Every structure is written in C-alpha cells, then in structure tokens.
Amino acid sequence: MSATSGTELSAGQKALATLALALLAVAGNVLSVPLFFSVVFIFGSVAAMLAAALLGTLPAVLVAAAAGLYTVVLWGHPYALIIFTVEALVVGLLHRRGVRTLVLADLGYWLVLGVPLVLLSYHGMMGVGWEAAAMIALKQALNGLFNALLAGLIVLGLQLRWRGAARLGLGSARLTGLLFHVLLTTILLAGAIPVILQGYGERVQQEAFMAERLHERARHLGARLAADPHAATARLLALLAEEQDNPGMGLALLGKDGSVLVQLGEVASLSGTAAQLQPLAGGLAIWLPGGDMPALARWKQGRYQIGLPVAEGGAARLVIEQSAAPLVRTLERTGLKLFSYLAVLLLLGIVLARVLSEWLTRPIAALEAASRLLTEQIASGTQPV
C-alpha cells in the first residue's frame, strides 16, 4: 500500500470524514464479538487505522479517542481508551515516515509499546493477576493487528476500485502489498476462526456443566425435603450442609412470602445489594455486583445461581449459588493458551506473507525496472540495451 499523509481534501471535507470515521469507530466497538466474560473482540480501531492511512495522524487520534470512550462503558476503566489512542498516534506517525503497511506499523506499536502498556495498566494499576493480564495483553494486540489488516484490505479495495483514490494520495495498488494482505488474511482466518470458536465454546461448555451440577444438587435436596416436609430449622440446616460440597456454594430456602427460612453460605442475590441477575442457558443465571468496577473484577465477584420451586413442606423455593471465580480463572488459563497460539501463528503469518509476497513479485519488479530503463533510453536517444 502506498499513500501519503497529505491529501487534496479541504479542511471541511477532512473534518467531515473524521466525524464519519469516528461514528463508524464507535459503532465498531458497540458491535463487539464476545468470547467469554469481559473478553470481547472490538472493531473500532479499523476506522482509526483508515483515518491514519487516508487523513493523517491527528484525525486518526481523534477517531481512536472517540471509539475508546465506549470501552470505558464496556470494561469500566479508561486504560483501553489510552492504549488505543496511543496506538493510532504511533501508527499514524510511522505511516507518515514510510511504513505504508498498516499491519507492520501496528505490529511495531504492540511489540514496543502496546503490550507493556496493557501489562502496566492491568497488573500495575488495576491489580489483575499476571495470568489474566498476559491474556488481555495478547488479546488486545491480536485484536489490534486484525483490525489493521481489515483496514489495509479496505485501502487496497479503494486503490483498485475507486477512481477518487488519487484525491486521498493513495496512489495505485502494488502487487506486493496485494499478495501480502491476501496471504496474511488466509493464514489468519484459517487459524483465528477455530480459536475464537473454541474460546466461545469453552465458556458454553463450562456453564453447561455448572448448570447440570447445580440442578443435580437442587433435585437431590428437593427429594429429601419432600421426604421430610415438616422438618425443623435445625434439620433443614443439616440437609443444606450435606448438599454443600464446597465453601463457595450457598443454599437458601425461601418461604411462600419470599422471606428466607434457612440459609447456609453466601447467597448474594438475597443480600439486597445493588446488582443485576442475567439469565443464561439451561435455567442458569449469573448474579453480578453493581457499583463502579472493571468488568473482569465484576465477573470474578459474580455468582452462578439456580432457583427451583419446592413442592412439599413450608418452603416454596430453593436457591443455590456458586462462586464464578474458579470458572473465570479456568477460562483465563484457557484464553491465555489460545491467544498464545494465535499470536505465534500471526507472527509467523506476517513473516511468511512478507517473504512470499516479495519473492513472488521479484521477477515482475525486475521486468518493470527493465521496462522503465528501456523507456528512458529511448527517450534520451541512446542505444537501448
């Protein structure tokens, strides 16, 4: 891809284009792809990369900042806003200084600044564990590189199909850049799609197992309550204790008026604190605390819950909760492995696509140079060689 930082757009046209890309950037972050918990792929930086290639560094920074504002809502902290804004700044500066391939400019940012900034923000500022911070750093870098690749493909499309590309200083598409983007896209999609599907499927599988386990406990306890419908409070507590298989599990029996008859362990949904209860598949729900906190911390403080009616005795409803923290940590370890694999694949893909694109186009480049030399010799009146 070849482009220049200057364009023939007027100041008003550039401002309008910047506003349009900023709106697209916000929409790209809103239309995110969730993997598990607070780990989602966002696409706002596609517009920021386009702004860096088409409009210049300052518009790219403004577009990235507009998109980053939504990450504060999405994740509950401002660090992603800073990281993605600095990304647009660095890519814009590198692009002006001759690094015309957006993916390579973005790779330089993430290797030198991006990943250390994520680790500093999440581990140093927010107190997230090293394992979770490393997973998030890899995810953010992969997300950014994928978005830079999408932006590069869009620029190539403009060079090939849009007659007005010259007004933006894009020039003509080069075969080397075209082959690089096609090869990298093929490699990345072949590896990324299975990884993303596996990451999403892992959460579904783990939550299905959680639902089955809690339902089994509830059915077993319901049968025992039906066998002893007039049990005293001490007996009810003993029955709950026999079903509690770990300290993170909380059980409660509610009366017909909704009051708590007996409770063992933490049942956060009955505490009356500000929170939200999100329904999930299989009759499972997740209780998430309210308040101002990062999304990852909110999920670790969450509790999975099921509630079933009780057919016999004085109790009308049984509620069982289980801490979500162990499941979140399991998915963090899984995510770190998946993103590590994908990062290695992407780095190898970039190197391989670069080498192959240069090698495949070398004869054509030599022919082009010979043709240009022949034209110059004829124009100057010398004997053509």
Side-chain angles (χ1 to χ4, degrees):
M1 248 174 357
S2 62
T4 59
S5 58
T7 72
E8 297 180 8
L9 294 178
S10 65
Q13 289 173 325
K14 184 178 285 191
L16 188 61
T18 301
L19 177 60
L21 286 174
L23 294 175
L24 287 175
V26 174
N29 281 351
V30 172
L31 299 175
S32 56
V33 176
L35 295 183
F36 43 84
F37 304 121
S38 61
V39 179
V40 297
F41 272 83
I42 56 179
F43 305 101
S45 64
V46 175
M49 295 298 103
L50 284 174
L54 305 179
L55 304 176
T57 303
L58 180 58
V61 170
L62 295 176
V63 171
L69 290 174
Y70 183 75
T71 65
V72 179
V73 178
L74 185 63
W75 292 317
H77 60 78
Y79 299 112
L81 164 63
I82 298 170
I83 291 166
F84 291 135
T85 304
V86 176
E87 177 191 20
L89 173 64
V90 171
V91 171
L93 292 174
L94 289 176
H95 193 267
R96 289 189 61 185
R97 284 160 175 75
V99 184
R100 301 302 186 192
T101 305
L102 291 173
V103 172
L104 297 181
D106 201 49
L107 177 63
Y109 164 74
W110 285 107
L111 289 178
V112 177
L113 279 177
V115 169
L117 279 176
V118 175
L119 294 176
L120 176 64
S121 301
Y122 280 79
H123 181 73
M125 301 294 186
M126 295 168 56
V128 175
W130 275 113
E131 192 170 59
M135 179 200 67
I136 294 170
L138 287 175
K139 176 261 159 189
Q140 300 286 50
L142 291 168
N143 197 169
L145 288 167
F146 180 76
N147 289 349
L149 177 60
L150 288 179
L153 290 171
I154 293 172
V155 172
L156 277 172
L158 292 176
Q159 290 175 322
L160 292 170
R161 307 295 299 178
W162 187 40
R163 293 182 179 180
R167 295 191 62 201
L168 297 175
L170 291 179
S172 59
R174 298 179 62 87
L175 183 58
T176 304
L178 180 61
L179 284 175
F180 172 79
H181 283 83
V182 169
L183 289 171
L184 183 57
T185 301
T186 303
I187 294 170
L188 186 59
L189 290 181
I193 291 176
V195 169
I196 292 173
L197 291 178
Q198 183 176 350
Y200 181 77
E202 182 72 15
R203 176 188 172 180
V204 172
Q205 182 179 359
Q206 291 286 346
E207 289 184 341
F209 176 75
M210 176 72 71
E212 181 181 357
R213 177 167 160 266
L214 294 182
H215 275 291
E216 181 182 357
R217 291 289 173 187
R219 287 192 297 267
H220 189 257
L221 181 57
R224 300 185 68 181
L225 290 172
D228 192 3
H230 303 293
T233 300
R235 175 57 180 163
L236 292 176
L237 280 172
L239 291 176
L240 296 183
E242 291 173 8
E243 297 297 332
Q244 186 186 41
D245 62 358
N246 65 82
M249 179 178 287
L251 306 95
L253 289 173
L254 307 182
K256 294 179 174 58
D257 59 353
S259 61
V260 179
L261 300 179
V262 289
Q263 177 178 330
L264 184 66
E266 180 183 0
V267 185
S269 58
L270 303 178
S271 63
T273 57
Q276 57 178 344
L277 192 64
Q278 296 181 4
L280 303 171
L284 191 67
I286 179 77
W287 177 91
L288 297 173
D292 186 15
M293 69 177 72
L296 187 60
R298 191 185 311 277
W299 277 97
K300 283 188 175 180
Q301 294 181 29
R303 297 184 65 80
Y304 285 104
Q305 183 212 81
I306 64 165
L308 295 176
V310 177
E312 304 288 342
R317 187 172 178 81
L318 167 65
V319 177
I320 303 181
E321 288 186 0
Q322 175 66 57
S323 172
L327 193 149
V328 173
R329 286 192 290 267
T330 298
L331 291 180
E332 284 176 353
R333 289 190 291 269
T334 301
L336 180 58
K337 293 177 183 177
L338 294 177
F339 291 140
S340 298
Y341 162 76
L342 191 54
V344 172
L345 176 67
L346 181 60
L347 290 174
L348 291 177
I350 290 174
V351 173
L352 183 62
R354 188 70 174 178
V355 171
L356 283 178
S357 62
E358 294 285 349
W359 177 68
L360 290 172
T361 58
R362 188 177 301 163
I364 299 175
L367 181 61
E368 180 185 5
S371 175
R372 187 165 52 248
L373 177 62
L374 181 62
T375 302
E376 292 172 355
Q377 289 173 337
I378 294 174
S380 63
T382 59
Q383 181 65 31
V385 177

